[in-house]
Amino acid sequence: MESKDLIHRLSEEELFKKYYPRLCDFALRYVQDEHLAEDLVQDAFVSFLENKHQVATDDNALKAFLYSCVKFACLNRLRHKKVKKRIEASMDANPVEDPKFLEAIVHAEIMGKIHEAINELPKGCYLIFKEGYLEGLSNQDLAKKLGISINTVKSQKQRGLMLLKRKYITGNLRSSSAAYI
């Protein structure tokens, strides 16, 4: 029967030789790659050597530490491999075939054209349109902020809408966005 104090009785090399084969077999059942299993077991032994003073000195504590290190290393590697495959699969997918991708492009282009069109509005219309529609201020808040009447705010909004509709109807907005479909 073995002594319970293997850490003190055996050298680091003897401990490695004793546990290496069984830990490799254990790791191989997880990762199914012999070289990777060997690397993970070696990493577990390095971890043991770095933390040897924190591990209890009996055989069971040493086994528990080494098996736990190997198990978590295997699980981390498998998780990493799974994430890597998912990323590679998403990169391999043709983005043009993804409806969300196309929708996002069309939306971004339309919003860009709308912003360009708003920026081309006369200054008064631009300010009221931007703060009223894009920033969500009410007509009353706009009138108060800009020191103008509510009717002026309403007429500037109507004027801005009319100018944007004219620009949209002429096809400037449609033809540019249609190129991305």
Side-chain angles (χ1 to χ4, degrees):
M1 191 164 160
E2 291 182 1
S3 165
K4 289 285 187 188
D5 196 4
L6 277 178
I7 292 177
H8 291 102
R9 194 169 57 86
L10 299 176
S11 70
E12 292 169 355
E13 185 179 339
E14 291 171 319
L15 286 171
F16 182 83
K17 286 179 181 177
K18 177 176 175 140
Y19 291 111
Y20 183 78
R22 59 182 89 173
L23 289 170
C24 284
D25 181 67
F26 176 73
L28 187 59
R29 294 187 182 276
Y30 279 98
V31 295
Q32 298 175 357
D33 177 327
E34 192 173 335
H35 295 293
L36 178 58
E38 291 172 356
D39 288 345
L40 294 173
V41 171
Q42 289 173 9
D43 291 345
F45 271 100
V46 169
S47 179
F48 162 68
L49 293 174
E50 291 172 349
N51 299 294
K52 166 164 97 168
H53 60 282
Q54 296 176 352
V55 178
T57 58
D58 67 79
D59 189 34
N60 290 332
L62 175 61
K63 281 184 194 178
F65 179 84
L66 290 172
Y67 277 107
S68 293
C69 283
V70 171
K71 176 185 173 186
F72 290 120
C74 290
L75 293 176
N76 285 337
R77 186 60 59 108
L78 291 172
R79 216 179 346 260
H80 175 74
K81 194 175 183 181
K82 194 176 188 180
V83 168
K84 188 176 174 183
K85 279 184 180 178
R86 192 172 49 230
I87 290 170
E88 287 172 351
S90 71
M91 293 177 92
D92 288 342
N94 186 354
V96 177
E97 293 175 4
D98 181 5
K100 288 182 182 180
F101 180 76
L102 291 174
E103 182 181 315
I105 289 175
V106 170
H107 184 269
E109 288 298 315
I110 289 172
M111 290 307 295
K113 291 295 183 182
I114 289 172
H115 282 280
E116 285 175 12
I118 291 171
N119 288 336
E120 293 173 7
L121 290 173
K123 186 177 179 181
C125 283
Y126 166 78
L127 281 174
I128 290 172
F129 212 88
K130 182 179 146 244
E131 293 188 21
Y133 287 113
L134 300 180
E135 295 177 18
L137 290 179
S138 68
N139 290 349
Q140 188 174 7
D141 291 339
L142 272 170
K144 192 177 198 180
K145 182 178 179 178
L146 299 173
I148 57 177
S149 74
I150 291 178
N151 286 334
T152 304
V153 169
K154 289 178 183 178
S155 67
Q156 288 293 334
K157 277 186 169 182
Q158 285 178 336
R159 183 173 176 227
L161 284 172
M162 180 193 68
L163 292 169
L164 287 176
K165 283 179 185 178
R166 221 183 269 156
K167 185 169 186 80
Y168 180 75
I169 290 171
T170 61
N172 290 341
L173 191 58
R174 278 192 213 155
S175 63
S176 298
S177 299
Y180 292 96
I181 298 177

